[in-house]
Amino acid sequence: MMNKKKIFKTLGLTVAAAMLMATPAMAQFTSYHFEVDMEYGNEQHTNVVEKDNDRDCAYVVIDDSNIVSTDKFYMSVNGPYFYNYNYTGDVKIVRSSGWAPLKYNQPEKPQRENNYRLRGVTKNLSVWIEGEWES
């Protein structure tokens, strides 16, 4: 009876260790909140975050907003303050919740372990939006 306990305990620890080593790192999502309008500043950026993957797009989760389909609100992934390159082009956001992939479709591509910012810009009216994103 004692040997079965020892075998199961050893087997359990071995499986747990294997699962920890085989589990890929989860993407790091960072919160954002933009309030933009044409009168007081039509664009905002998040703080920089480090890209921790090799994917060809960023993911934006929209938790809440006042966006409707007729708004002209766009998001993009840009470089840090000293290099404000727009890696995705301006992607129009047309829903008030959900998620949106921002494809890196410009000639220069973002690289793992470099820093990037999410940008929100409106071309009309006042817009607020909040959620999470990862580069």
Side-chain angles (χ1 to χ4, degrees), residues 72-88:
K72 294 179 182 174
F73 180 75
Y74 303 86
M75 293 181 112
S76 63
V77 174
N78 290 40
Y81 308 103
F82 57 87
Y83 186 64
N84 195 29
Y85 185 83
N86 183 332
Y87 293 92
T88 58

Side-chain angles (χ1 to χ4, degrees), residues 13 20 34 48 50 54 65 68 75 84 101 103 125:
L13 290 172
L20 286 174
F34 295 138
V48 294
E50 184 177 307
D54 293 318
S65 75
V68 295
M75 293 181 112
N84 195 29
K103 182 104 170 130
L125 305 176

Side-chain angles (χ1 to χ4, degrees), residues 33-92:
H33 178 88
F34 295 138
E35 292 185 36
V36 291
D37 61 41
M38 293 303 293
E39 187 175 345
Y40 296 106
N42 70 328
E43 93 177 33
Q44 289 182 345
H45 293 83
T46 63
N47 291 328
V48 294
V49 297
E50 184 177 307
K51 181 171 175 59
D52 63 357
N53 61 66
D54 293 318
R55 285 192 291 276
D56 65 349
C57 66
Y59 292 99
V60 174
V61 177
I62 303 165
D63 291 334
D64 200 9
S65 75
N66 69 343
I67 293 175
V68 295
S69 61
T70 56
D71 286 335
K72 294 179 182 174
F73 180 75
Y74 303 86
M75 293 181 112
S76 63
V77 174
N78 290 40
Y81 308 103
F82 57 87
Y83 186 64
N84 195 29
Y85 185 83
N86 183 332
Y87 293 92
T88 58
D90 289 343
V91 177
K92 186 173 183 185

